[in-house]
Amino acid sequence: MTLTDALLVCADAVVVALLVRGGAAKIVAPALGAAAAGELRPGRGPVPAAVIRALAVVEIAVAVAMALPSLRGPAHVPMAALGLLFAGAGILGLLRGSTEPCGCFGADSTRPLGAGNVLMGVAVLAAAVSGLWVHGVDPSRTDSASAGVAGLGAIVTGGWLLYSHRKHVHTVVGNLIKQPESAA
């Protein structure tokens, strides 16, 4: 594996973690995203929850496709579209003065649509374009890098979850290592 391939695997793994985490949060609690997206269309109210859940299904499907060797190349196309969507929503959020937390990167995300979404969207788009530039969309390409994307994506997702719930992790780990008091 070349250095370029290793960097692409790392970038794809981070995007997989982002898409899985954000997609799962949108499926479980679409109201945050619906309210935030509603701010992008003044006077119309929240976007229907079904639309937010459909977006979540697409995010998760793209993440899963990134782990399958024959779909990794073609999956960069919808990944690029998601990057554009995220960046565009962030730009509209900035222009419209979004105040509703979007929950875009997980339910614990309390920031409104804005600069973070623009940066994340541009990063997702850059990862997708890089993958397309280097490898194209050849579905016959079956390298071992997809297994690396899946494994590293799982590690990044787990690390992200542990970090975002670090207070709870600290409590659980503390309780596990405490010595039981003797009854004598």
Side-chain angles (χ1 to χ4, degrees):
M1 179 181 289
T2 67
L3 177 61
T4 301
D5 286 335
L7 291 173
L8 289 174
V9 164
C10 290
D12 286 348
V14 169
V15 171
V16 163
L18 171 77
L19 294 177
V20 167
R21 184 167 162 92
K26 287 178 189 85
I27 285 176
V28 172
L32 285 174
E39 286 186 319
L40 304 181
R41 5 173 273 159
R44 294 181 155 167
V47 170
V51 172
I52 300 302
R53 283 194 169 118
L55 172 62
V57 168
V58 170
E59 288 180 79
I60 292 171
V62 170
V64 169
M66 293 300 293
L68 302 173
S70 62
L71 295 179
R72 184 168 170 234
H76 283 101
V77 174
M79 188 169 120
L82 287 170
L84 287 171
L85 178 69
F86 300 157
I91 290 168
L92 279 175
L94 286 170
L95 292 174
R96 302 243 164 96
S98 180
T99 59
E100 291 286 333
C102 70
C104 297
F105 309 122
D108 61 336
S109 177
T110 59
R111 294 188 178 167
L113 292 167
N117 301 88
V118 175
L119 292 173
M120 196 60 67
V122 169
V124 169
L125 179 61
V129 169
S130 298
L132 288 168
W133 184 273
V134 173
H135 296 298
V137 294
D138 183 10
S140 65
R141 181 179 165 84
T142 56
D143 56 10
S144 61
S146 294
V149 169
L152 189 56
I155 291 168
V156 171
T157 301
W160 189 353
L161 286 171
L162 288 172
Y163 176 76
S164 63
H165 298 289
R166 60 193 172 278
K167 290 179 185 175
H168 300 295
V169 171
H170 184 266
T171 302
V172 169
V173 171
N175 289 337
L176 288 174
I177 60 174
K178 279 184 182 175
Q179 294 291 329
E181 294 184 28
S182 58

